Amino acid sequence: DHGYDWEHWSLLPAGVFHTVYYGDFAQDYPPYWAWLQKFPMWVVTPFLTLWAITTMVIFQNAGSIGIKPKRYTIEWMQATKERERQENTNPVTRYLDRRRTERGGTWIAQYNLPWHPYWVWMSGSHDDEFPEYYLPKPGSPHLHFRDSLKEPFVKED
């Protein structure tokens, strides 16, 4: 006896014109299921869904913990910004972002959210092969609409 004594009764279809009065009893379940089923389904479903998604994300990304890909180092991000500046990539997006900001009260996610799964441990990673792109801490990963296209990101020594 696990202490749960709830009963759930429902009418289930049986054939075309008949129904069966069906009872679900707490004593028929192990304690953990009996505890969970004492709550209504609309209360439990959001929590179970959130738990399942969180668990999946943790297990899927657990293999990459501590890995520091070279393409996400501070110098490589600066080099990417320099290439984007030289090629003038994505000018329409920068124009639209600037217009949205001019209208006021906008929060553009691409300028604020992390954009790769290694951001937790990549904040201080440097690539010594490219000292001309050195920054003490990471900047934005791509061109911001406020970045000047006339000034290079390469540091002249």
Side-chain angles (χ1 to χ4, degrees):
D1 183 30
H2 47 58
Y4 299 103
D5 58 357
W6 51 260
E7 298 176 4
H8 296 158
W9 291 93
S10 58
L11 285 172
L12 298 177
V16 180
F17 299 108
H18 301 286
T19 57
V20 174
Y21 201 43
Y22 180 77
D24 223 3
F25 304 103
Q27 297 301 325
D28 296 339
Y29 293 96
Y32 47 90
W33 289 127
W35 173 81
L36 191 62
Q37 290 182 9
K38 75 178 180 179
F39 301 107
M41 186 180 290
W42 61 270
V43 172
V44 174
T45 302
F47 291 106
L48 284 179
T49 304
L50 182 64
W51 173 80
I53 291 173
T54 303
T55 304
M56 286 186 288
V57 167
I58 289 171
F59 278 110
Q60 287 173 346
N61 291 330
S64 62
I65 292 175
I67 293 175
K68 296 183 177 183
K70 196 175 239 191
R71 68 182 177 275
Y72 298 128
T73 58
I74 297 171
E75 287 75 18
W76 273 52
M77 289 194 301
Q78 284 297 99
T80 301
K81 284 174 71 170
E82 176 63 19
R83 191 191 76 241
E84 290 174 355
R85 182 193 71 83
Q86 289 175 357
E87 296 173 359
N88 195 19
T89 57
N90 219 354
V92 174
T93 301
R94 286 198 312 278
Y95 169 75
L96 293 174
D97 290 348
R98 190 185 80 235
R99 293 295 307 270
R100 284 182 65 199
T101 306
E102 288 170 354
R103 282 181 262 158
T106 55
W107 183 78
I108 302 173
Q110 74 178 8
Y111 297 131
N112 298 296
L113 294 178
W115 62 281
H116 60 77
Y118 311 100
W119 64 274
V120 176
W121 52 85
M122 289 291 290
S123 61
S125 61
H126 292 280
D127 184 8
D128 298 331
E129 297 175 13
F130 297 100
E132 64 270 17
Y133 292 109
Y134 177 81
L135 282 179
K137 62 178 192 163
S140 62
H142 298 288
L143 279 179
H144 195 280
F145 69 90
R146 292 190 188 108
D147 289 338
S148 171
L149 295 179
K150 295 182 173 79
E151 302 171 15
F153 292 100
V154 179
K155 294 183 177 172
E156 304 288 331
D157 285 336

